[in-house]
mmCIF file of all heavy atoms in Angstrom:
data_model
loop_
_atom_site.group_PDB
_atom_site.id
_atom_site.type_symbol
_atom_site.label_atom_id
_atom_site.label_comp_id
_atom_site.label_asym_id
_atom_site.label_seq_id
_atom_site.Cartn_x
_atom_site.Cartn_y
_atom_site.Cartn_z
ATOM 1 N N THR Y 307 -42.490 227.599 76.703
ATOM 2 C CA THR Y 307 -41.888 227.308 75.387
ATOM 3 C C THR Y 307 -41.149 225.970 75.439
ATOM 4 O O THR Y 307 -40.736 225.485 76.485
ATOM 5 C CB THR Y 307 -40.884 228.408 75.001
ATOM 6 O OG1 THR Y 307 -39.879 228.530 76.015
ATOM 7 C CG2 THR Y 307 -41.593 229.739 74.848
ATOM 8 N N ASP Y 308 -40.963 225.402 74.274
ATOM 9 C CA ASP Y 308 -40.216 224.154 74.075
ATOM 10 C C ASP Y 308 -40.722 223.001 74.933
ATOM 11 O O ASP Y 308 -40.000 222.347 75.658
ATOM 12 C CB ASP Y 308 -38.710 224.387 74.357
ATOM 13 C CG ASP Y 308 -38.005 225.115 73.224
ATOM 14 O OD1 ASP Y 308 -38.409 224.906 72.062
ATOM 15 O OD2 ASP Y 308 -37.071 225.872 73.475
ATOM 16 N N ILE Y 309 -42.028 222.754 74.795
ATOM 17 C CA ILE Y 309 -42.630 221.541 75.399
ATOM 18 C C ILE Y 309 -42.418 220.428 74.363
ATOM 19 O O ILE Y 309 -42.741 220.577 73.212
ATOM 20 C CB ILE Y 309 -44.122 221.757 75.645
ATOM 21 C CG1 ILE Y 309 -44.352 223.027 76.487
ATOM 22 C CG2 ILE Y 309 -44.736 220.542 76.304
ATOM 23 C CD1 ILE Y 309 -45.791 223.473 76.509
ATOM 24 N N GLY Y 310 -41.884 219.294 74.807
ATOM 25 C CA GLY Y 310 -41.769 218.173 73.903
ATOM 26 C C GLY Y 310 -40.410 217.517 73.957
ATOM 27 O O GLY Y 310 -39.521 217.863 74.773
ATOM 28 N N SER Y 311 -40.185 216.525 73.065
ATOM 29 C CA SER Y 311 -38.955 215.750 73.041
ATOM 30 C C SER Y 311 -38.836 215.053 71.710
ATOM 31 O O SER Y 311 -39.769 215.022 70.906
ATOM 32 C CB SER Y 311 -38.920 214.745 74.197
ATOM 33 O OG SER Y 311 -39.977 213.816 74.044
ATOM 34 N N ILE Y 312 -37.649 214.500 71.457
ATOM 35 C CA ILE Y 312 -37.393 213.663 70.291
ATOM 36 C C ILE Y 312 -36.947 212.293 70.771
ATOM 37 O O ILE Y 312 -36.062 212.189 71.623
ATOM 38 C CB ILE Y 312 -36.327 214.270 69.375
ATOM 39 C CG1 ILE Y 312 -36.775 215.666 68.872
ATOM 40 C CG2 ILE Y 312 -36.055 213.358 68.176
ATOM 41 C CD1 ILE Y 312 -35.716 216.358 68.034
ATOM 42 N N ASN Y 313 -37.578 211.246 70.244
ATOM 43 C CA ASN Y 313 -37.244 209.885 70.634
ATOM 44 C C ASN Y 313 -36.309 209.290 69.592
ATOM 45 O O ASN Y 313 -36.686 209.154 68.409
ATOM 46 C CB ASN Y 313 -38.511 209.034 70.762
ATOM 47 C CG ASN Y 313 -38.201 207.648 71.291
ATOM 48 O OD1 ASN Y 313 -37.333 207.503 72.176
ATOM 49 N ND2 ASN Y 313 -38.874 206.652 70.768
ATOM 50 N N TYR Y 314 -35.102 208.944 70.003
ATOM 51 C CA TYR Y 314 -34.101 208.378 69.091
ATOM 52 C C TYR Y 314 -34.064 206.862 69.279
ATOM 53 O O TYR Y 314 -33.714 206.366 70.369
ATOM 54 C CB TYR Y 314 -32.723 208.992 69.367
ATOM 55 C CG TYR Y 314 -32.608 210.426 68.944
ATOM 56 C CD1 TYR Y 314 -32.863 211.441 69.871
ATOM 57 C CD2 TYR Y 314 -32.268 210.762 67.656
ATOM 58 C CE1 TYR Y 314 -32.741 212.785 69.488
ATOM 59 C CE2 TYR Y 314 -32.180 212.110 67.270
ATOM 60 C CZ TYR Y 314 -32.408 213.104 68.187
ATOM 61 O OH TYR Y 314 -32.302 214.411 67.796
ATOM 62 N N LYS Y 315 -34.396 206.111 68.250
ATOM 63 C CA LYS Y 315 -34.395 204.667 68.323
ATOM 64 C C LYS Y 315 -32.969 204.110 68.166
ATOM 65 O O LYS Y 315 -32.124 204.738 67.562
ATOM 66 C CB LYS Y 315 -35.295 204.093 67.218
ATOM 67 C CG LYS Y 315 -36.767 204.496 67.361
ATOM 68 C CD LYS Y 315 -37.617 203.911 66.274
ATOM 69 C CE LYS Y 315 -39.086 204.324 66.427
ATOM 70 N NZ LYS Y 315 -39.954 203.768 65.367
ATOM 71 N N ASN Y 316 -32.748 202.947 68.722
ATOM 72 C CA ASN Y 316 -31.470 202.233 68.627
ATOM 73 C C ASN Y 316 -30.258 203.045 69.144
ATOM 74 O O ASN Y 316 -29.173 202.980 68.612
ATOM 75 C CB ASN Y 316 -31.204 201.826 67.176
ATOM 76 C CG ASN Y 316 -32.276 200.935 66.619
ATOM 77 O OD1 ASN Y 316 -32.759 200.010 67.295
ATOM 78 N ND2 ASN Y 316 -32.720 201.181 65.391
ATOM 79 N N SER Y 317 -30.514 203.777 70.216
ATOM 80 C CA SER Y 317 -29.436 204.539 70.863
ATOM 81 C C SER Y 317 -28.665 203.617 71.802
ATOM 82 O O SER Y 317 -29.249 202.715 72.383
ATOM 83 C CB SER Y 317 -30.000 205.727 71.648
ATOM 84 O OG SER Y 317 -30.654 206.645 70.776
ATOM 85 N N GLU Y 318 -27.386 203.877 71.914
ATOM 86 C CA GLU Y 318 -26.521 203.073 72.803
ATOM 87 C C GLU Y 318 -26.258 203.840 74.083
ATOM 88 O O GLU Y 318 -25.986 205.042 74.066
ATOM 89 C CB GLU Y 318 -25.211 202.708 72.103
ATOM 90 C CG GLU Y 318 -25.349 201.664 71.035
ATOM 91 C CD GLU Y 318 -23.996 201.152 70.577
ATOM 92 O OE1 GLU Y 318 -22.986 201.719 70.980
ATOM 93 O OE2 GLU Y 318 -23.976 200.172 69.803
#
Side-chain angles (χ1 to χ4, degrees):
T307 59
D308 283 328
I309 306 166
S311 62
I312 300 177
N313 186 38
Y314 290 93
K315 298 180 179 180
N316 300 317
S317 298
E318 287 190 352

